[in-house]
Amino acid sequence: MSDKAARHPQYREAKSAAIRLLSHRARARGQLEERLRGKDLAAEAIEQALNDLERAGYIDDEAYASERIEALLRKSKRGSRALIHALIQEGLDRHLAERIVAERLEGEDLSEWAREVAMERIARMRGLDAETARRRLYGYLGRRGFDDVDALRAIDEALAELDEQ
């Protein structure tokens, strides 16, 4: 916004607070809005400040989403549902989150990822009966966002591997 007279009286405060938040780490626009609302700033001032920061390139939800997905996947492999949920929880729009996750996971073998996660987890379940291990693995893989088909296939392979040992 180039006309300073049209800016809300709390604009400078909102922009300064947003810059302080961004100086610690990148954030999604939704996260910034939530934090600034918590400071009892006017919605108009928040909107103006975030629009200016976005135009200047300090807020980029698409880049943030891509970087965040990579960080999550460095920690552990996850399915699309878990990645989408994490991005939405961080203030990103659902459609953007779904698109970015789909683009990132295109060409990945999620059934193989689910199998790897199941194999790592089954090692901790020695001594459990097969049904208890199956139930726990199913919940574990579900919480990591793998779909039912990939989870069930991975569980069968992990349990077969456990039986062989």
Side-chain angles (χ1 to χ4, degrees), residues 88-103:
I88 291 169
Q89 290 297 110
E90 294 184 17
L92 290 166
D93 172 72
R94 172 177 287 283
H95 298 296
L96 175 64
E98 289 171 350
R99 181 176 58 81
I100 296 294
V101 168
E103 289 172 4

Side-chain angles (χ1 to χ4, degrees), residues 49-88:
L50 295 182
N51 286 344
D52 284 353
L53 290 170
E54 194 167 25
R55 274 192 295 277
Y58 293 104
I59 301 171
D60 182 346
D61 280 356
E62 198 162 320
Y64 175 82
S66 296
E67 291 169 11
R68 188 65 184 126
I69 289 171
E70 294 306 322
L72 290 168
L73 291 175
R74 277 192 298 275
K75 285 184 182 178
S76 67
K77 292 196 164 102
R78 300 168 193 224
S80 60
R81 288 187 326 222
L83 293 170
I84 291 167
H85 178 76
L87 293 177
I88 291 169

Side-chain angles (χ1 to χ4, degrees), residues 20-62:
R20 274 193 307 278
L21 290 168
L22 289 168
S23 72
H24 296 286
R25 66 178 177 86
R27 295 176 192 269
R29 182 180 175 118
Q31 287 175 319
L32 290 167
E33 287 176 11
E34 186 177 322
R35 295 287 299 268
L36 295 175
R37 278 195 311 266
K39 295 180 179 296
D40 292 326
L41 295 167
E44 185 180 346
I46 293 169
E47 183 74 16
Q48 290 172 354
L50 295 182
N51 286 344
D52 284 353
L53 290 170
E54 194 167 25
R55 274 192 295 277
Y58 293 104
I59 301 171
D60 182 346
D61 280 356
E62 198 162 320

